[in-house]
Amino acid sequence: MKRVLGVGVIGFGTIGTGVIRLLQAQERKLHDRLGAWLRLVRVADLDLERDRGVELPHGMMTRDATELIDAADVDIVVELIGGYEPARSFVLDALRRGKCVVTANKALLAVHGSEIFQAAERAGVPLGFEASVGGGIPIIRTLRDGLVGDRVRAIYGIVNGTSNYILTEMSRNRASFEEVLSRAQAQGLAEADPTYDVDGIDAAHKLCLLIQLAFGRRVPFRAIPVEGIRHVTAVDMQYAAELGYAIKLLAIAKLLGTHIEARVAPTMIRREHVLADVNGAYNGIVVQGEALGQTFYYGLGAGMMPTATAVLADIVDAARFLLGEASRTPYPLGYRWSQQREAKLVAPESVESEFYLRLSLADRPGVLAQVAGILGREKVSIAAVVQQGQQQNGWVPVVMRTHRARFGQVQRALQRIVRTRMVRGAPVTLPIEEELGKESV
Ligand code: HSE
């Protein structure tokens, strides 16, 4: 049995640096746990010059990731470059060569998971991806192992730190999305191209993986309805607070009989629910189990050292496998790929929820009654109406909370209301997850 296990890291960026630091800092402790040394033997990156503040022995760095994958002393390949290609080819190559693979790449697994999970299964080696969702929060292990005895009914996740940071700042400072985003970019807290984060794409990648782990079903990434936070306004946050809610970008998946409801959208949740207190760059995930009820997982979902801890956990799992300890499942998702079924998704217009509506209505007698009538004809029942704020040139803001209704009915009613010309501009619609608050963690 090998007593020294070689680790090769592809991608010496922020997370790569954290992984290398942690490997160096924990070397002795990990040896005591494993009875073998985990040694960094190769690092591949196109940039060989930049100072990352980490000392590496001369000759350890290469620009050639293929050389790293092929090297006989590399037992565990850690892919940290992100994106689809060449990450996909590196991961598949490593698996074909029988190397254990660890990746933090949710975009890759959400889009090419079918190919990659099956390749890992064929190779019979571990493929760890704990760092791909929730950064340092061990949510993959929790769903794969800890909750395997229960039946998961629903997942509600704040899984994108950047958008959560922006929403938190907007709510605290009553600032606009654009203001907060540009401040966050200037401070390096948001990417120069924030699309994946603020448009909900990153959250949808993560939701794809959570659904496969929780429900054993495959949802093509493109089938998930995704809405980001660009159109959320400080005004809506203010009204939400007055009604007792917070607005969060939620990744939601629910098992509804034979179907799965999945979506990423800015959503109103009760202020007293624990998810409403997940602020700043933090992530929080609520899992609703049939037997267990709600459990809550909270922590830093991004950043150098938090994410590195998740990568290290997978490296240690791979080491245990290589040392012959049967401490982990041979299947990355916790079940055979052939057991996975295609999910039947609830159509977006059939999603049922309570809704928050904000309309700018003509300030004339009878307008509110007509609006209520149109909503009523579409079977959308109003639970509360708030008319506050100043009349502006004959228009007043009116906020409504509906009882449970189908999204399609709400949309149809709003289209009719817009056609009457009693409303100015586009109405704002946000789903309210009242169900989430029914059981509190
Ligand atoms: N960009 C992600 C976020 C972190 O803002 O949460 C990596 O998953």
Side-chain angles (χ1 to χ4, degrees), residues 185-204:
Q185 284 172 318
Q187 291 166 20
L189 298 171
E191 304 273 350
D193 177 2
T195 310
Y196 271 41
D197 291 322
V198 304
D199 290 334
I201 301 163
D202 175 72

Side-chain angles (χ1 to χ4, degrees), residues 53-76:
V54 177
E55 285 290 317
L56 292 182
H58 185 70
M60 187 181 273
M61 278 198 76
T62 172
R63 293 171 69 92
D64 186 355
T66 307
E67 180 198 316
L68 177 151
I69 293 166
D70 286 342
D73 58 353
V74 172
D75 302 294
I76 302 164

Side-chain angles (χ1 to χ4, degrees), residues 104 106 131-132 134-135 159-163 191 197 202 206 281 283 301-303 307:
K106 57 263 162 180
S132 62
V159 287
N160 183 268
T162 307
S163 53
E191 304 273 350
D197 291 322
D202 175 72
K206 292 167 178 167
N283 281 196
T307 309

Side-chain angles (χ1 to χ4, degrees), residues 156-158 248-252 263-267 269 275 433 436:
Y156 305 87
I158 295 173
K248 295 288 181 189
L249 182 70
L250 285 196
I252 302 176
R263 63 198 143 100
V264 172
T267 303
I269 54 175
L275 267 186
E433 273 301 320
L436 182 61

